Amino acid sequence: MSKKDDIISTALHLFNSYSYNSIGIDRIISESGVAKMTFYKYFPSKAKLIEECLHRRNMNLQESLDAAIAQCRAEEYLDHIKTIFYWYHAWFQMDDFNGCMFQKAVEEVSKVYPSTMQPAMEYKEWLTERIRVALEKLGITQSFQLASLLASILDGMTIQAQMDKNLVKIDEYWKRVYKLIQLELMEV
């Protein structure tokens, strides 16, 4: 692993475990085991570090979700959407789940570091498009509107899980999402 990767990995862990505001550059430098000069060679500011961390988080999430969806049969588009919802639920159960790093960034640092909004928006657009394509393949004509709604449900589930992961009853959520999709299919 390169020194830059060490810094990003350390920062991701710390930002996820705590918050963007409570973790300073000196702690990241100390815990990543790099020299201050090395840190600033790669990241001239905390904003650039957060932005890079969120880009890496975006890539990791997309790869993980794509791998989960790849386990479904290609033409089973409803299963693709279900897999996304159940993937989120599995994520909520992980020991290191501390909420969504994108939601935290928007809340904590986006006004001070506006560039950190870009990776959050890219992930949201990617997720919505992934759902939209599956809905369109199912035959839903207003696929973007429903995909946006489903992505918002996932956001809400994430916030709920951050408060208490036991409150997210995935089977209940999926039953209602399935009904929404079926209602849209009846309108076709």
Side-chain angles (χ1 to χ4, degrees), residues 12 55-65 87:
L12 275 169
H55 278 297
R56 177 76 53 92
R57 183 70 175 159
N58 185 357
M59 268 184 4
N60 293 344
L61 289 173
Q62 287 183 31
E63 288 172 7
S64 183
L65 273 164
W87 180 95

Side-chain angles (χ1 to χ4, degrees), residues 129-148:
E129 180 62 11
R130 197 76 163 87
I131 296 169
R132 188 202 66 74
V133 167
L135 292 169
E136 184 178 88
K137 298 278 188 180
L138 285 169
I140 294 175
T141 54
Q142 300 291 322
S143 58
F144 178 76
Q145 290 81 356
L146 184 55
S148 296

Side-chain angles (χ1 to χ4, degrees), residues 57-185:
R57 183 70 175 159
N58 185 357
M59 268 184 4
N60 293 344
L61 289 173
Q62 287 183 31
E63 288 172 7
S64 183
L65 273 164
D66 279 340
I69 293 166
Q71 300 299 311
C72 300
R73 289 186 27 205
E75 67 283 353
E76 295 293 332
Y77 299 106
L78 188 59
D79 284 347
H80 294 194
I81 299 167
K82 183 177 184 180
T83 296
I84 292 169
F85 274 80
Y86 279 80
W87 180 95
Y88 265 75
H89 186 259
W91 171 44
F92 302 156
Q93 306 312 310
M94 297 176 99
D95 289 338
D96 68 345
F97 174 76
N98 293 304
C100 175
M101 292 185 71
F102 300 121
Q103 289 173 346
K104 283 164 86 170
V106 169
E107 180 183 317
E108 291 181 35
V109 296
S110 65
K111 285 185 176 62
V112 178
Y113 308 132
S115 63
T116 61
M117 285 290 289
Q118 190 60 36
M121 290 178 354
E122 287 171 6
Y123 175 72
K124 182 73 166 204
E125 289 168 3
W126 175 85
L127 179 63
T128 302
E129 180 62 11
R130 197 76 163 87
I131 296 169
R132 188 202 66 74
V133 167
L135 292 169
E136 184 178 88
K137 298 278 188 180
L138 285 169
I140 294 175
T141 54
Q142 300 291 322
S143 58
F144 178 76
Q145 290 81 356
L146 184 55
S148 296
L149 176 63
L150 297 184
S152 293
I153 290 171
L154 289 166
D155 284 343
M157 286 172 49
T158 304
I159 292 168
Q160 188 177 34
Q162 189 175 356
M163 292 184 286
D164 183 352
K165 31 182 116 177
N166 297 317
L167 294 176
V168 181
K169 308 291 185 202
I170 190 61
D171 294 328
E172 292 298 317
Y173 269 101
W174 178 249
K175 184 168 47 173
R176 282 157 182 81
V177 167
Y178 178 79
K179 284 181 184 179
L180 277 172
I181 293 169
Q182 294 307 310
L183 282 171
E184 288 289 326
L185 286 171

